[in-house]
Amino acid sequence: MMKIRAFLLISLIIGGMYAMIETINDFNEKSFNEFFETLDADFNSLTFTKPTMHGSPAETWSINDERTVDELLQFLQNYHVKKLKPEEIDPDDNINEFTISLKDANGNDVTIIIAENLIIQNSLLYYEIVDGPLDVDWIVRFFVSNKF
């Protein structure tokens, strides 16, 4: 009976240590490749949102071109992200800025808020781009070349 208790105690300790290490690793810096691999999503559409200006409504348009999505993903590979802790997130953040959203067929989405170097996964998880700011010249060229 003591051996079973000892075994269960050791199992609990090992399980707790594993969970603790995984939690710590969640908040470590990752390359965009590592970040996208954890999403297990095959993004197939892109939505641009241009913020409201002087009372005019926000302008949005979508692109369902795999080549364009891949071009953005290739660009993002130059950057690293870090998951934000709940206390680092502003719950009242009213985002009225230029954004690019990626979506897949299963409803997964990632929104990139350019000016804030912020990434929001499925409206729940927040990441910051740690080696930003993003190359605005590239973003502007990408934006203009994909506006129709």
Side-chain angles (χ1 to χ4, degrees):
M1 190 68 168
M2 286 298 272
K3 287 183 180 183
I4 293 174
R5 284 186 184 166
F7 177 74
L8 288 174
L9 181 61
I10 290 172
S11 297
L12 282 172
I13 291 171
I14 291 172
M17 286 176 50
Y18 177 77
M20 189 173 70
I21 290 170
E22 285 299 306
T23 301
I24 290 169
N25 284 338
D26 261 359
F27 295 99
N28 285 342
E29 186 178 309
K30 298 177 186 176
S31 71
F32 250 99
N33 284 344
E34 292 172 299
F35 170 66
F36 279 118
E37 284 172 7
T38 62
L39 298 179
D40 194 29
D42 187 21
F43 296 109
N44 55 9
S45 77
L46 227 147
T47 302
F48 294 96
T49 303
K50 189 176 171 185
T52 58
M53 303 275 288
H54 309 295
S56 65
E59 184 182 348
T60 64
W61 64 96
S62 295
I63 297 173
N64 295 319
D65 177 39
E66 193 174 312
R67 199 168 34 104
T68 304
V69 172
D70 286 343
E71 184 180 353
L72 177 64
L73 294 177
Q74 287 291 323
F75 165 73
L76 293 173
Q77 287 180 4
N78 297 314
Y79 295 94
H80 292 80
V81 297
K82 186 180 95 174
K83 186 175 181 180
L84 294 175
K85 296 175 182 158
E87 61 271 13
E88 296 174 307
I89 300 169
D90 182 0
D92 299 320
D93 199 5
N94 184 9
I95 298 165
N96 186 25
E97 297 184 26
F98 180 75
T99 63
I100 300 174
S101 298
L102 294 160
K103 294 190 187 314
D104 75 358
N106 297 323
N108 293 310
D109 71 277
V110 170
T111 301
I112 303 163
I113 302 160
I114 305 301
E116 293 189 21
N117 291 310
L118 188 66
I119 296 167
I120 304 171
Q121 177 193 347
N122 295 328
S123 301
L124 297 172
L125 302 174
Y126 287 67
Y127 296 82
E128 68 176 334
I129 299 170
V130 294
D131 48 0
L134 292 171
D135 181 349
V136 176
D137 291 337
W138 188 93
I139 296 286
V140 168
R141 285 193 305 275
F142 184 70
F143 172 79
V144 170
S145 68
N146 289 294
K147 188 172 184 193
F148 48 89

